[in-house]
Amino acid sequence: MRMRRIMASLMAVAGLAASATPTSAAPSDERAVSYRGYRLTVPAGWQVVDLSTDPHACVRFDRPTVYLGHPGDEPWCPTRLAGRTAGLIIEPIDSVTADRLTADTAITNSGTATAGNPVSRDGTIQIAVRDAGVLVTALHTPDTEPVVRRVLAAARLGPDARPAPTGPVRTDAGPATATPSAASGPQPGTYTGKGFDTCTAPSQSTMDAWRNASPYRAIGIYISGSSRSCTQANLTASWVTNQTGNGWHLIPIELDRQAPCGTRTPKMSYDPATARSEGATRATAAVSAAQALGIPAGSVIYNDIEHYPSSESCKAAVLSYLSGWTDRLHALGYLSGMYSSGSSGVRDLCDAYHDSRYTRVDHLFFAWWNGVADTDAGDYCPDAHYAARQRIHQYTGDSYETWGGVRIYIDRDYLDVSTGTPPPPDGFDSTIDNTTTGRFTASANWGTSTYSGQRHGADYRFATPTPTSDVAWFRAALPETGSYQVSVWYPADPGYNDSTPYVVATANGSQTVRVNQRLNGGRWVSLGVFTLSAGDRNTVGVSRWTSGTGYVIADAVRITRV
């Protein structure tokens, strides 16, 4: 009910014109907001908070709000905020905000308060309004983005507007530095001990106070995702460099798509193939965010999937989403993690630990508020799973703590993690889909289909049998000559081939393994272990030359060092 009221308030502004006519008062279903000569109109139900009058105000977006001024150094933010609606932060352009101007920041032309069609990145639009000297950060969801854009497009300059200093605003909108500052190694690195997570990245002064006085040496940071509820105004590349240089271990967290059977939004698809594709897409976005912050390859990025009422179909969606997430992170040089409650996501993940249909995540971050600072997951996950320093336990939540005179609302964590925990036991694991750029080739005789929900990724390829080879090839870059397990993924159907020839280019010549594609679809099926040569070449192919009947299918292959 509360969410419906919020959405009704948001949509009340849907009729705004592209430029508002200046009036002394806004209509009754709207409210006028002015800050340093930057004027706009928002729905009447939105709150307006002057941050200069409340240094502890939490800049949160689970309720539609306009915040005026810089966020305080000591915000009191709950940890369990539920998702995002929409909101704005309007603050001066000065030395505080200069570090947050990026290549995505739209910069207004002289005499205007608007910037055409500014880029949205992870549900965030940022505009530097030069003639008012303000930086506007607008947050939204896919549902509220049109409303937020209308609000921004209707902004105007008032007679009290004053230009920003010339230094902080770059007219080319380029990055503030050629390359971001870097964390001191992969995160969270090697560490056993206490940490905490909180809704918003704390200020430098807060981090310094807690570093000197608290027992904590690790902090969870929300680096990406459109479901983040709090501002991350402090979270910059220089902040990352400063904290890791001071001995903090960072826990990078993505908060975006949620279980389709849960209450939080946005949601992943119930369709496993679509969910897998969504997970891969989010992994790409998370890596971009990590790289912009200077968090290097080899780091773990944890996907936060909040509690959900599990069912078989919901479990399949979540595990497929995490498989796509993990496959793409591995391809980009990062490790994968998953955060969830012990009774839902963690139990589902650990129950599927040996399930070949899914790609196993590398690290586990579980919530079980039993008050015990260790990495024992009880009945939620066996001790033998994620046993190689791959665990973080969130053991209490929603607690105020004060260290060095500074109070933060936190969840308490206990970490036992190690740098470089490899995806597979021997360090190499590569998944190649038929849609992987530059890694799949097939002639025009091969069609494209989305017919089966058992597909891997967005689609798969099919062709009729013929007494000529016409191989569809999957190309792999192998780091060294050695033994590799080759597995294949395909949708199964009675109309597909009962003797599909898979060709493996081994170090000793090609070997053919025939697979009945009418059975065992929608999972990884092992072709066996082969000696493969180092190098970048066509490694696994699907041939059309078969005496079997029905379409031959080329969908995805997985190659793992053993």
Side-chain angles (χ1 to χ4, degrees):
M1 178 65 73
R2 177 175 177 270
M3 183 57 70
R4 285 199 296 270
R5 289 198 301 268
I6 289 173
M7 291 304 298
S9 171
L10 289 169
M11 296 312 295
V13 78
L16 282 176
S19 60
T21 302
T23 57
S24 58
S28 59
D29 60 347
E30 301 168 2
R31 67 184 302 178
V33 179
S34 179
Y35 182 75
R36 295 194 170 206
Y38 178 75
R39 299 185 175 188
L40 45 73
T41 306
V42 299
W46 286 32
Q47 299 180 46
V48 178
V49 176
D50 185 349
L51 296 173
S52 66
T53 65
D54 185 358
H56 299 301
C58 176
V59 179
R60 52 192 287 185
F61 299 103
D62 59 326
R63 55 195 185 194
T65 306
V66 180
Y67 296 94
L68 306 177
H70 293 313
D73 284 347
E74 194 180 339
W76 293 347
C77 289
T79 57
R80 299 292 100 191
L81 297 182
R84 177 186 292 183
T85 55
L88 306 174
I89 309 173
I90 309 171
E91 54 190 322
I93 296 175
D94 54 21
S95 60
V96 175
T97 54
D99 198 35
R100 300 205 295 273
L101 300 174
T102 73
D104 290 329
T105 305
I107 299 177
T108 60
N109 293 322
S110 178
T112 69
T114 60
N117 187 32
V119 171
S120 175
R121 184 83 61 189
D122 257 355
T124 302
I125 299 169
Q126 194 174 71
I127 302 174
V129 185
R130 290 194 293 180
D131 284 1
V134 297
L135 180 67
V136 182
T137 304
L139 287 90
H140 61 80
T141 68
D143 289 337
T144 61
E145 181 175 2
V147 176
V148 167
R149 286 190 178 276
R150 291 188 184 101
V151 169
L152 295 174
R156 62 197 186 277
L157 297 173
D160 52 339
R162 296 293 180 268
T166 56
V169 182
R170 298 178 312 281
T171 56
D172 62 354
T177 56
T179 57
S181 305
S184 56
Q187 300 300 312
T190 299
Y191 173 65
T192 300
K194 291 184 176 181
F196 70 95
D197 54 272
T198 188
C199 190
T200 184
S203 68
Q204 186 62 56
S205 61
T206 296
M207 294 298 295
D208 290 343
W210 275 52
R211 177 66 177 83
N212 293 331
S214 82
Y216 303 112
R217 293 295 180 268
I219 177 174
I221 53 172
Y222 291 90
I223 69 167
S224 60
S226 63
S227 193
R228 292 174 292 171
S229 298
C230 291
T231 180
Q232 302 301 330
N234 294 318
L235 187 56
T236 64
S238 59
W239 187 94
V240 167
T241 300
N242 290 338
Q243 306 332 310
T244 58
N246 288 338
W248 286 100
H249 297 264
L250 307 182
I251 308 168
I253 303 169
E254 147 101 352
L255 181 55
D256 199 81
R257 291 189 181 272
Q258 298 294 299
C261 56
T263 58
R264 296 188 62 155
T265 57
K267 297 184 180 184
M268 65 190 73
S269 173
Y270 264 113
D271 176 62
T274 302
R276 184 181 288 266
S277 179
E278 290 169 341
T281 298
R282 286 309 313 163
T284 300
V287 166
S288 294
Q291 291 173 340
L293 292 169
I295 298 172
S299 298
V300 185
I301 306 178
Y302 296 84
N303 199 305
D304 181 341
I305 299 178
E306 295 290 327
H307 177 82
Y308 57 90
S310 188
S311 64
E312 282 304 311
S313 58
C314 196
K315 174 181 176 179
V318 169
L319 295 178
S320 297
Y321 183 84
L322 290 171
S323 294
W325 165 261
T326 301
D327 287 340
R328 183 63 57 81
L329 284 180
H330 288 175
L332 297 173
Y334 287 74
L335 300 179
S336 72
M338 184 250 209
Y339 167 89
S340 193
S341 65
S343 60
S344 58
V346 172
R347 188 185 297 280
D348 285 349
L349 188 72
C350 291
D351 284 350
Y353 191 79
H354 295 294
D355 193 330
S356 62
R357 292 176 296 174
Y358 307 111
T359 304
R360 184 188 304 161
V361 304
D362 304 310
H363 284 246
L364 179 64
F365 186 177
F366 63 96
W368 180 27
W369 293 359
N370 63 350
V372 181
D374 62 16
T375 55
D376 180 7
D379 294 337
Y380 298 128
C381 191
D383 292 342
H385 297 352
Y386 302 103
R389 306 195 71 182
Q390 298 164 273
R391 292 191 179 202
I392 304 175
H393 176 195
Q394 186 184 87
Y395 61 95
T396 61
D398 295 345
S399 303
Y400 275 116
E401 286 197 23
T402 301
W403 297 98
V406 180
R407 186 171 78 157
I408 312 179
Y409 203 64
I410 68 168
D411 296 329
R412 300 185 184 101
D413 306 319
Y414 187 83
L415 296 80
D416 186 18
V417 293
S418 178
T419 297
T421 303
D426 292 296
F428 180 85
D429 184 40
S430 179
T431 299
I432 308 111
D433 187 80
N434 76 93
T435 61
T436 303
T437 302
R439 294 283 147 188
F440 178 81
T441 54
S443 74
N445 297 317
W446 289 79
T448 302
S449 177
T450 59
Y451 169 73
S452 177
Q454 293 182 346
R455 65 189 183 274
H456 184 285
D459 55 42
Y460 56 97
R461 307 299 289 274
F462 68 95
T464 56
T466 184
T468 57
S469 183
D470 193 17
V471 177
W473 283 104
F474 295 86
R475 185 181 184 93
L478 305 182
E480 59 184 344
T481 299
S483 297
Y484 294 83
Q485 177 172 276
V486 177
S487 301
V488 297
W489 185 294
Y490 55 86
D493 188 88
Y496 295 163
N497 205 278
D498 57 356
S499 185
T500 296
Y502 282 90
V503 181
V504 182
T506 77
N508 303 311
S510 295
Q511 296 185 31
T512 299
V513 179
R514 296 183 180 275
V515 174
N516 183 351
Q517 291 187 324
R518 298 176 183 178
L519 304 173
N520 300 317
R523 67 187 67 186
W524 291 112
V525 175
S526 176
L527 300 183
V529 176
F530 305 86
T531 301
L532 305 180
S533 298
D536 190 347
R537 60 176 58 85
N538 289 334
T539 306
V540 182
V542 184
S543 174
R544 298 173 62 200
W545 197 335
T546 174
S547 59
T549 57
Y551 290 121
V552 293
I553 303 299
D555 194 355
V557 302
R558 183 178 183 184
I559 302 173
T560 305
R561 185 78 162 89
V562 295

